[in-house]
Amino acid sequence: MRPTVHDIAEKAGVSLATVDRVLNNRPGVKAKTRALVEDTIAQIGYVRDVAAANLARKRLYHFEFLIPDSDNSFLDQLRGAVREVAALSRVERIEIGMREVAAFDPAALVAAMREAIAGEPDGIAMVAIDDDAVRAVVAEAKQAGVAVVTVVSDLPGSARVHYAGIDNLAAGRTAASLIGRFIGGTGTVGVIAGSLNARDHRERLAGFEEALKRDFPGVSVLPVIEGRDNPKRVEREATALLDAQPALSGLYSLGAGNRGLVKALRGRNPARHMPVIAHELTATTRAALSEGLFDAVLNQDAGHEVRSAVRVMKAQADGLHTVDAQERIRIDIFLKDNMPQ
């Protein structure tokens, strides 16, 4: 039978009120008595039902998500996942807010973080920008007792408590392995990123170049195009690339803006196939796979990332640990033949 607070009180020889004070870290208990109760808890293997305790105290959790306002389909999925999780979490007394922040703008993210911290939430989840000012505001959040989780793009070396996203170095290596095989191990490939200010994009590029150099030394990589995840800009830049490199062997789109890339690809010579690898399974990339414009799409589950971030922030608020295996976000590889319905 599972030990109860009554078992603790009986074995330690104290009142239930004293046990409650120790469990909830409230004052009014002598150090010697507190140590006795804590030793008893360890001896009998008592595990606290935090959810029941919070329900009894009518505890309300408050989390904030900071999401870039960029017009791309994956971020639409991410925002949709936040809204869906927010609606489902109300029954658990979890209130989730969402703020949109200018994309690739460290100053805007810092300002949004400070506004969120001022609201005294239990946790903040953000799509990070790799910038020292952002690291400093994450440290401010920690000092204020607010747990910060990074989503999609990480901020290592900061005071964030967890990263909910894929291993972007591994994603880049995977893309290199695919495109290297698709083009036969030799040729020239182009790369379109959103911004190398974003750590996820920079890591994908690093993994891509590392794996090509190691496994496909006959493949050269052109200078990276930064499309800012803007479809019109990506269309313009991709069209210019295809015009300047008519013998281009392959293309890796490691960011967003794929609506523009699809338009540029449709405008080229349809008789010549060029392997293309992209990220995130959206309506646009699904259509491109079906049409044969894209050969593979590497995907991350936006819903899993949002749910993971909420679980971690709640655990932090409750002083509990999370299960690493449960929070690991996998990389899915979709081809034309295995797209989910």
Side-chain angles (χ1 to χ4, degrees):
M1 183 179 293
R2 186 175 178 175
T4 68
V5 291
H6 294 273
D7 297 324
I8 300 170
E10 182 178 348
K11 186 170 179 60
V14 298
S15 68
L16 285 171
T18 297
V19 174
D20 181 71
R21 288 190 187 97
V22 172
L23 286 172
N24 291 290
N25 200 27
R26 290 199 294 268
V29 182
K30 294 179 181 178
K32 184 177 179 180
T33 304
R34 184 178 294 276
L36 173 63
V37 173
E38 289 173 347
D39 286 345
T40 303
I41 289 170
Q43 287 172 20
I44 68 174
Y46 173 78
V47 178
R48 190 179 182 201
D49 188 339
V50 175
N54 286 338
L55 186 61
R57 296 201 308 273
K58 299 188 183 303
R59 165 86 190 258
L60 177 67
Y61 301 88
H62 175 205
F63 304 135
E64 287 285 339
F65 277 79
L66 307 185
I67 310 294
D69 63 1
S70 178
D71 174 26
N72 77 65
S73 300
F74 176 70
L75 288 178
D76 285 344
Q77 289 180 357
L78 195 65
R79 287 185 283 265
V82 173
R83 286 189 286 268
E84 181 180 356
V85 172
L88 294 172
S89 297
R90 290 192 187 106
V91 297
E92 299 180 56
R93 303 186 64 80
I94 297 174
E95 179 184 278
I96 297 175
M98 180 169 61
R99 302 163 186 255
E100 294 194 32
V101 184
F104 308 124
D105 187 337
L109 181 55
V110 168
M113 279 285 291
R114 288 192 172 129
E115 287 179 10
I117 293 167
E120 300 183 349
D122 294 290
I124 298 173
M126 67 167 178
V127 178
I129 298 173
D130 195 357
D131 185 271
D132 287 341
V134 179
R135 284 186 176 81
V137 80
V138 173
E140 290 175 24
K142 181 180 179 180
Q143 190 165 6
V146 179
V148 176
V149 173
T150 53
V151 179
V152 180
S153 187
D154 196 13
L155 192 63
S158 71
R160 61 94 170 127
V161 299
H162 181 74
Y163 164 55
I166 61 172
D167 180 338
N168 284 293
L169 282 166
R173 290 193 295 266
T174 302
S177 181
L178 290 170
I179 208 162
R181 286 171 169 79
F182 288 162
I183 68 176
T186 60
T188 301
V189 298
V191 177
I192 300 176
S195 169
L196 296 183
N197 238 1
R199 191 176 188 94
D200 55 331
H201 291 194
R202 199 164 66 246
E203 287 183 343
R204 289 174 191 177
L205 175 63
F208 185 71
E209 292 180 331
E210 170 203 322
L212 283 180
K213 184 177 180 180
R214 181 191 65 213
D215 300 329
F216 303 100
V219 176
S220 60
V221 181
L222 294 173
V224 178
I225 293 170
E226 294 188 65
R228 308 290 292 182
D229 287 353
N230 181 294
K232 290 184 179 178
R233 179 167 173 167
V234 169
E235 180 183 5
R236 184 172 63 250
E237 296 284 358
T239 298
L241 172 65
L242 295 170
D243 288 343
Q245 300 284 339
L248 192 67
S249 306
L251 190 57
Y252 176 34
S253 174
L254 59 80
N258 285 312
R259 292 196 301 274
L261 176 57
V262 166
K263 288 183 180 179
L265 291 171
R266 283 181 179 146
R268 68 185 175 86
N269 179 6
R272 181 180 173 274
H273 179 71
M274 178 187 66
V276 178
I277 310 294
H279 277 261
E280 318 314 347
L281 193 65
T282 65
T284 297
T285 57
R286 277 175 175 272
L289 281 173
S290 296
E291 197 175 329
L293 293 173
F294 288 2
D295 293 80
V297 170
L298 308 182
N299 188 63
Q300 56 188 316
D301 188 327
H304 189 179
E305 290 170 343
V306 171
R307 292 189 296 273
S308 177
V310 171
R311 281 194 298 268
V312 170
M313 289 188 289
K314 186 174 182 295
Q316 288 287 317
D318 290 335
L320 300 176
H321 296 292
T322 52
V323 179
D324 289 343
Q326 184 182 24
E327 308 311 333
R328 189 173 297 117
I329 310 297
R330 70 173 185 264
I331 301 169
D332 292 316
I333 303 173
F334 292 115
L335 309 177
K336 179 178 181 178
D337 307 295
N338 71 335
M339 279 189 293
Q341 298 300 312

